[in-house]
Structure formats: structure tokens, C-alpha cells
Amino acid sequence: DIVMTQSPDSLAVSLGERATINCKSSQSVLYRSNNKNYLGWYQQRPGQPPKLLIYWASTRESGVPDRFSGSGSGTDFTLTISSLQAEDVAVYYCQQYYTTPHTFGQGTKLEIK
Amino acid sequence: QITLKESGPTLVKPTQTLTLTCTFSGFSLSTSGVGVVWIRQPPGKALEWLTLIYWDDDKRYSPSLKTRLTITKDTSKNQVVVTMTNMDPVDTATYYCAYTNLKTDKTGGAIDYWGQGTLVTVSS
């Protein structure tokens, strides 16, 4: 299995400030034939199912605010929220879908400072 | 509009077999690239990928649970069924079914749509 490791486990950021979450995979999730990273980011608010924010490591899902951005390639990835809003309080997960099982990171809990 | 809904027992006893059904609408599981995936989440813990079935009946399982899981589809009923044998209290979790699409002009395998989940408790 590809192991996905997120850092930090929890994060407290002031409203309007930047939040950065990291995700590292135990092997590359870059498929060289199409130059795509098979990496997604999800947001899970309390009591809700996860919601897809980013796919292909950096493509925002339709309707996702542009303060959310994804970057990285190969084994190292980052989710950035440029200006934290109150509704961004949630747990964030990365997931690789390069090979099954499509493993998730352990999650990063984002709170308001 | 794509929707998915999980159904099944909320309580099972240890050693019993769990059967969950995912009933979906807004897509066909006979369309090339489409898949339905099951994921679970123990209370307060992380997401765990369980199993996936594709439009062509290709089935994938988590290696750690492979001996206990079976996934099937009924395209005519728009349903996917998963069974998990020999349930244990550690299997207590919310079980989600979700939609995925392999096509590279789509999300390529990320999980686009999720059901609301169903909480299954394993207890005697």
C-alpha cells in the first residue's frame, strides 16, 4: 500500500491568515505517461461526508473557492488556504488514487486561533 | 444530479456478516470509466478505503480486508452491494459509498460524490 502522511495533525490559524497542510506519499503518484499526479484533497466538516476540493493535485473542483489551492508533484504535496474563513474549520484529507487501495492520509484538523 | 445512499443494519453482532447496499442515481454503472467505492470512518478517526467496483466489473479490495469483503453490482437496479464477514467491534464505523470516474478528462479516480454515510455499530 502507498502510505500517505499528513502534517501537521492539527493547525490553528487566525481568520484571514494563510493555512498550509502537507501530504507526503511513500512512493510517487505521478503517472509519467500523462504527467498527472493522482492526488486529491478533501474537506470534511463535522457530521458531513467529505467533499472533494482538489484533484490532479492542483485542479480545483467546480464551485470550490479560489482561496483553496493545491501544489506539489511526485511524493510531496501541499494544500493552501490563502485567507482562512470561519467556514473552513474542518478536517482535511489527502488521498492517492494512483493505485489501489486508494489510501488516505490521517487527516489534519484545522481550527481558528 | 448524482446522488448515492447507503442502507443496511445499524447494529450487528460480533461474528455476523454485514450487508450494505448503495443505491444511486444520476449515472449508470455501465458507463465506461465509472466506479462505486466504499470507504469507512470509525468515530473520530480517519477515512479508510475498503473496496471499489468498476463499470466493467473489475473489483478491487483493500489487502488488509480482502478475505472479508465482497462487492457486487446490479446495473439494472442502480445498486452496489458490499458484504463484510466476521464483524468485530473494531469495525464500528460510518460506511460511505461514493462515485468515482477513471476518465482523465474527469477527476481520474478521485471521489467526486459521496453518500451521507450509515453508522454501523458492532456490539453484542
Side-chain angles (χ1 to χ4, degrees), chain A residues 18-112:
Chain A
R18 178 185 299 259
T20 301
I21 299 169
N22 300 300
C23 175
K24 188 174 184 68
S25 57
S26 61
Q27 64 188 75
S28 176
V29 298
L30 173 63
Y31 194 41
R32 296 211 177 270
S33 67
N34 61 12
N35 200 37
K36 288 185 179 293
N37 287 282
Y38 283 62
L39 188 286
W41 287 97
Y42 301 84
Q43 175 193 66
Q44 187 177 32
R45 294 184 174 122
Q48 295 294 315
K51 172 189 172 184
L52 179 64
L53 297 176
I54 303 282
Y55 57 97
W56 299 135
S58 60
T59 302
R60 237 181 341 265
E61 176 74 317
S62 175
V64 172
D66 61 7
R67 65 179 180 272
F68 291 92
S69 63
S71 63
S73 185
T75 61
D76 292 280
F77 301 92
T78 301
L79 175 70
T80 301
I81 307 171
S82 61
S83 176
L84 190 71
Q85 304 300 303
E87 61 265 33
D88 301 335
V89 169
V91 179
Y92 292 83
Y93 294 94
C94 62
Q95 183 206 23
Q96 65 80 19
Y97 46 96
Y98 181 84
T99 186
T100 55
H102 293 164
T103 43
F104 291 91
Q106 81 276 17
T108 295
K109 186 174 184 179
L110 178 58
E111 299 174 313
I112 305 293

